[in-house]
Amino acid sequence: MRTRTTVVAVALSIASASVHANPADLYGLGARVPAMGGAGTATASDTAAGYYNPARLGLLEDLRIDVGYQYASPDLQINDRSLGVDSSRGIAAGIAVPGRIGKGVKMALAGTFFLPDRYFVRTRALAGTQPRFQLYDNRPQRFLLSANLGFSFLDDRIAIGGGITYMSGTDGTINLLGRVGFPNAEDSDLRQAIDFDVQTVPYPQAGLMVKASDRITIGLSYRGEFELELSQVLDVRGSVGSADQEQIVEDAFITVTTLAKDHYVPAQITAGIAAQVTDDLLLAFDLGYHAWSGFGNPSTEVEIELDVGDFNDDIDIE
């Protein structure tokens, strides 16, 4: 088994050198924290704080606008055969607007998003026998929108924050109406209707930060469970027979419904500590718990309903 990932980020930032370089559910957010191994719970200092610890948004003093473009290309193979995991590329951006409540409370409202430039949303269901890298699967192609609010008190020694992240998914139905040709299937006369809906599914996040001393900061963050089920329906209704003869079956139908776990993110609790040893040396450490025990069977469930009149007993679908 071999895993190789290449990440390239090009960024433009106002009031900051760090940007949203990656979609949060796969590579993290911002150029700074991923370069620190993802230890951002007690250190995030830009709009990426909305992902790593919303409480740290309350420490921002000035308007921040982060804009970037990211490209990541995972090369995932099993037995020297590629699994065909998509590359991830698109625009990542964030904006944070600070303010005050009275004299003692600082606050900031921040919004972040990642917009893929290849697919708005990518969904696929793999067979139960297909090996997969669950951490990657459908994550490279995903629209993400996050809104967070952070507050700080007591001269920035205590901060709290929280918000909601929205992820995109789809549900769809394909309807075929008319006549199914028999015995010649090419003689069919079917009208097609497709109805697909892009949905947004929210999950919560929250954070806490305590400045233990002038050089030591402690952070705690929580992100809720996110589960996106992909439901697709193929519904064929009509008669069965030839165009110039009496129909063999009237009002026949077959409905195939598939349900798969298209995307899953476990509930996460992360604790972090950062020590500013010197003006030029910062040490940071994060410890996270990811509740993967909540992840169910990712295999596709298939349900078939069929009615072809007198021929029902002659059809056996595994």
Side-chain angles (χ1 to χ4, degrees):
M1 183 183 296
R2 181 177 64 184
T3 302
R4 183 172 71 249
T5 301
T6 303
V7 180
V8 178
V10 179
L12 168 67
S13 180
I14 299 175
S16 171
S18 60
V19 298
H20 285 187
N22 298 294
D25 64 343
L26 184 57
Y27 298 108
L29 284 178
R32 178 173 178 266
V33 175
M36 298 171 61
T41 307
T43 63
S45 58
D46 54 16
T47 54
Y51 172 72
Y52 293 104
N53 188 347
R56 292 192 59 84
L57 293 171
L59 307 181
L60 299 179
E61 298 281 354
D62 302 311
L63 173 69
R64 295 186 58 91
I65 302 176
D66 299 326
V67 181
Y69 182 87
Q70 74 101 59
Y71 173 82
S73 179
D75 181 13
L76 305 179
Q77 301 182 12
I78 294 179
N79 296 333
D80 296 325
R81 297 184 62 180
S82 174
L83 295 188
V85 176
D86 290 337
S87 62
S88 175
R89 64 194 194 199
I91 298 173
I95 181 171
V97 181
R100 286 185 176 273
I101 301 177
K103 295 182 179 180
V105 180
K106 292 167 51 180
M107 61 169 290
L109 175 65
T112 59
F113 72 88
F114 176 76
L115 180 62
D117 64 4
R118 186 179 180 187
Y119 303 113
F120 182 78
V121 60
R122 174 73 152 88
T123 58
R124 63 177 177 180
L126 300 179
T129 56
Q130 168 69 47
R132 70 184 68 197
F133 287 89
Q134 181 58 37
L135 288 176
Y136 285 78
D137 230 4
N138 284 313
R139 296 185 177 206
Q141 303 295 341
R142 187 70 55 186
F143 172 76
L144 178 144
L145 174 64
S146 182
N148 294 277
L149 188 62
F151 301 88
S152 67
F153 315 87
L154 304 177
D155 296 327
D156 292 343
R157 292 196 173 277
I158 298 178
I160 59 174
I164 297 177
T165 295
Y166 295 88
M167 299 280 278
S168 59
T170 61
D171 281 321
T173 301
I174 299 176
N175 295 300
L176 298 175
L177 304 174
R179 179 180 54 82
V180 177
F182 182 83
N184 182 11
E186 295 182 356
D187 183 42
S188 299
D189 182 15
L190 295 170
R191 300 182 303 278
Q192 177 178 283
I194 300 177
D195 182 15
F196 273 81
D197 181 29
V198 177
Q199 300 178 335
T200 56
V201 181
Y203 62 95
Q205 54 203 33
L208 170 69
M209 188 219 72
V210 177
K211 195 169 184 181
S213 70
D214 290 340
R215 292 186 175 273
I216 297 178
T217 303
I218 300 172
L220 182 69
S221 69
Y222 166 80
R223 284 192 290 276
E225 180 187 65
F226 171 84
E227 183 176 68
L228 181 64
E229 292 186 332
L230 172 62
S231 175
Q232 297 190 26
V233 179
L234 172 64
D235 187 60
V236 183
R237 295 179 180 271
S239 59
V240 179
S242 301
D244 54 354
Q245 297 180 6
E246 182 179 355
Q247 299 302 288
I248 299 175
V249 179
E250 296 283 355
D251 299 325
F253 74 87
I254 179 171
T255 302
V256 181
T257 303
T258 63
L259 181 65
K261 284 183 170 56
D262 176 57
H263 189 61
Y264 180 80
V265 176
Q268 305 171 37
I269 299 176
T270 306
I273 184 170
Q276 190 73 53
V277 180
T278 68
D279 291 342
D280 299 321
L281 177 61
L282 173 67
L283 299 181
F285 175 79
D286 271 18
L287 178 64
Y289 169 74
H290 295 195
W292 277 102
S293 59
F295 180 51
N297 189 343
S299 300
T300 302
E301 298 178 11
V302 180
E303 181 180 302
I304 299 177
E305 296 182 61
L306 177 68
D307 185 2
V308 287
D310 296 336
F311 297 92
N312 284 339
D313 295 336
D314 298 325
I315 296 178
D316 183 19
I317 300 177
E318 294 289 341

